[in-house]
Amino acid sequence: MKLQGRQTWKFGDQVYLNSTGTAVGPMESEGPLGSLFDVRYNDLHCNEKNWELAERRLMEDSIASCLGKAKLTNEDINFFLAGDLLNQVVTANYVARGNEIPFLGVFGACSTSMESLAVGAALVDGGFAQRVVAAVSSHNATAERQFRYPTEYGGQKPDTATFTVTGAGAALISSEPSPIRIASATIGKVQDLGIKDPFDMGSAMAPAAADTIMTHLKETGMAPGDYDLIVTGDLSGVGAPIVKMLLKEKGIDVSNNHRDCGLMVYRPDQEVFAGGSGCGCSAVVTYGHLVKELMSGSLKRILVVATGALLNPTMIQQKESIPTIAHAVALEGIKGGSN
Amino acid sequence: MSNKEQQQEYAQKIKPLQPKPPYVINCLKAYLVGGLICVIGEALMKFYMTYFNFNEETAGNPTAATLILIAALLTGIGVYDKIGQFGGAGSAVPVTGFANAVTSAALEHKSEGIVLGIATNLFKLAGAVIVFGAVSAYIFGMIRYAFKTLM
């Protein structure tokens, strides 16, 4: 049985993360991980006519560089799993129109990165696919328009606000051996502890992250220390201490090995309020930085917990609170593996 | 779905971990930025009265128009949102804030065309100001009229 407990998938030994690709905008290029990303733009427009086209370019670039590294073309891929933050996941839809790979659109807000990776791994493990590409994107300006105000609007934001990462990440999943194995995944439950402030998504998402981490450890029988790193997606400076506190209450200590992608992607002196967010955030940090650490062997086993605020501006105006979710995927570096 | 008690307990629990908004500093910044915009307005008014033969009653119109133009330009070159983040209400309340709300919406929706993009969305943010401006002007106008006829 590949199902462990109620909501954790334990994959067989034959599911690998073969290759990854990342593309980012100017702020992310200037960040501490800047040099690790495959495609970098100095201009938020990414040489395109509007923001939506710019986001599409980022996703296309990330997939091209992912497949380029694996020396594969679109025809070699069975399924394309992708999502983004825009209505009807338009970025993914239009990228899928271009690449003509059989397509499944995925939406889990900022948790889409690990949702698509987990589902892709399950397809490969179940024998339903040989090769799957999972991709996500977010763009600061398209997200501002979708969820907040026009980009140039001079409204003041509080320090708890997050800054949507302009970036895309793609991953190739297959049963062909590679230095990184996808070991397991835990699908999260939607949590809502009544936070209504769309400028404080860290506080809203922390309970979802805590629940998924706790459940994952319980159902796999792992201890927090078994992971070199437990990385949350975009809890930022506000949500990161909250998740640590919530886990501590349950007797789980992650104070030494917890990191948050939202705090890794930018320097502290960059003006991003509480930190980065968006599905691009966990994707570029995982696919651009963490997989390289797994390949080099400096990290052996990590748990990436992508957090998503299932936010809708109309629901917020109707005084609803923000439902949140978190999905976890465990990645393992295999010593001596070859690409 | 969590119940009310759980929600309240969570809100209490996370309070110490959430950054407090710096109210005093924000008020000072708003005072400075708002005051500075008014000083510029005052200078413009004097300028129009001295050089263009406007009087104190009529000089307000070209002054507001000039401030709106400046705010629109600053929005277009991507500066006004930074002033807004710094100054808060200080830059949102004056007429420059209104100009920013309109210009930023126009810029944002340019990609959807002139009619359905710019024209439809132009007052997306500023529309509320116009609605409440017109409604309150009507109400106070009626009150004033009532007093005038009764007294």
Side-chain angles (χ1 to χ4, degrees), chain A residues 200-229:
Chain A
D200 185 9
M201 296 198 288
S203 299
M205 295 189 293
D211 184 70
T212 300
I213 294 171
M214 211 171 65
T215 311
H216 176 85
L217 295 175
K218 202 175 93 192
E219 295 189 337
T220 53
M222 307 269 268
D226 291 339
Y227 287 106
D228 295 331
L229 284 182

Side-chain angles (χ1 to χ4, degrees), chain A residues 50 141 145 149-157 159-160 192-195 200 203 206-207 238 241-242 245-246 249 273, chain B residues 2 6-7 10 13-14 17-19 22 26 75 78 80-81 84-86 88 100-101 104-105 107-109 111-112 125:
Chain A
N50 61 50
R145 182 225 282 262
Y149 300 112
T151 12
E152 296 301 333
Y153 178 62
Q156 198 174 34
K157 286 183 186 169
D159 292 335
T160 50
D192 187 341
L193 280 174
I195 302 293
D200 185 9
S203 299
V238 180
I242 298 177
M245 181 190 74
L246 293 174
E249 282 178 359
F273 309 100
Chain B
S2 57
Q6 285 173 308
Q7 294 183 2
Y10 181 62
K13 202 157 57 181
I14 62 172
L17 294 174
Q18 287 179 312
N26 279 356
T75 304
Y80 204 90
D81 57 331
Q85 181 56 38
F86 179 82
N100 165 252
S104 63
L107 282 170
E108 192 73 16
H109 294 280
S111 66
E112 295 140 69
L125 293 166

Side-chain angles (χ1 to χ4, degrees), chain A residues 70-108:
Chain A
K71 299 192 176 62
L72 293 173
T73 61
N74 291 343
E75 284 79 44
D76 301 317
I77 308 303
N78 300 111
F79 299 104
F80 173 50
L81 268 56
D84 54 276
L85 298 178
L86 305 186
N87 284 345
Q88 292 90 35
V89 289
V90 280
T91 310
N93 295 344
Y94 279 79
V95 170
R97 176 181 74 178
N99 66 24
E100 295 183 342
I101 307 172
F103 166 64
L104 287 169
V106 194
F107 183 81

Side-chain angles (χ1 to χ4, degrees), chain B residues 6 10-11 13 23 48 50 67-68 72-73 83 88 90 93 102 118 126 133 145 147:
Chain B
Q6 285 173 308
Y10 181 62
K13 202 157 57 181
Y23 290 117
Y48 283 118
T50 317
L67 283 173
I68 287 169
L73 286 174
I83 300 174
V93 174
V102 175
I118 296 177
Y145 179 73
F147 269 99

Side-chain angles (χ1 to χ4, degrees), chain A residues 231-274:
Chain A
V231 191
T232 47
D234 52 2
L235 294 180
S236 77
V238 180
I242 298 177
V243 79
K244 280 189 224 173
M245 181 190 74
L246 293 174
L247 287 171
K248 200 152 204 174
E249 282 178 359
K250 304 280 180 193
I252 298 165
D253 184 13
V254 294
S255 48
N256 291 325
N257 56 352
H258 174 260
R259 300 283 183 281
D260 188 71
C261 297
L263 298 173
M264 295 163 84
V265 70
Y266 298 116
R267 283 192 320 271
D269 60 311
Q270 284 179 299
E271 286 176 8
V272 293
F273 309 100

Side-chain angles (χ1 to χ4, degrees), chain A residues 85-86 110 138-153 155-158 160-165 197-202 205 234 272-273 275-279 309 311-314 316-317 322, chain B residues 104-105 108-109 124-125:
Chain A
L85 298 178
L86 305 186
C110 314
S138 57
H139 189 290
N140 186 274
T142 60
E144 285 293 314
R145 182 225 282 262
Q146 179 93 69
F147 297 103
R148 300 175 197 107
Y149 300 112
T151 12
E152 296 301 333
Y153 178 62
Q156 198 174 34
K157 286 183 186 169
T160 50
T162 48
F163 187 87
T164 307
V165 165
D197 183 1
F199 290 114
D200 185 9
M201 296 198 288
M205 295 189 293
D234 52 2
V272 293
F273 309 100
S277 66
C279 25
L311 175 76
N312 176 296
T314 311
I316 294 298
Q317 282 163 358
I322 306 169
Chain B
S104 63
E108 192 73 16
H109 294 280
K124 202 169 131 186
L125 293 166

Side-chain angles (χ1 to χ4, degrees), chain B residues 6-7 10 14-15 27 61 69-71 74 80-81 86 106 114-115 127-128 141-143 149:
Chain B
Q6 285 173 308
Q7 294 183 2
Y10 181 62
I14 62 172
K15 218 170 196 177
C27 285
N61 292 336
L69 177 71
I70 294 170
L74 288 176
Y80 204 90
D81 57 331
F86 179 82
I114 290 170
V115 178
M142 291 305 277
I143 294 172
T149 34

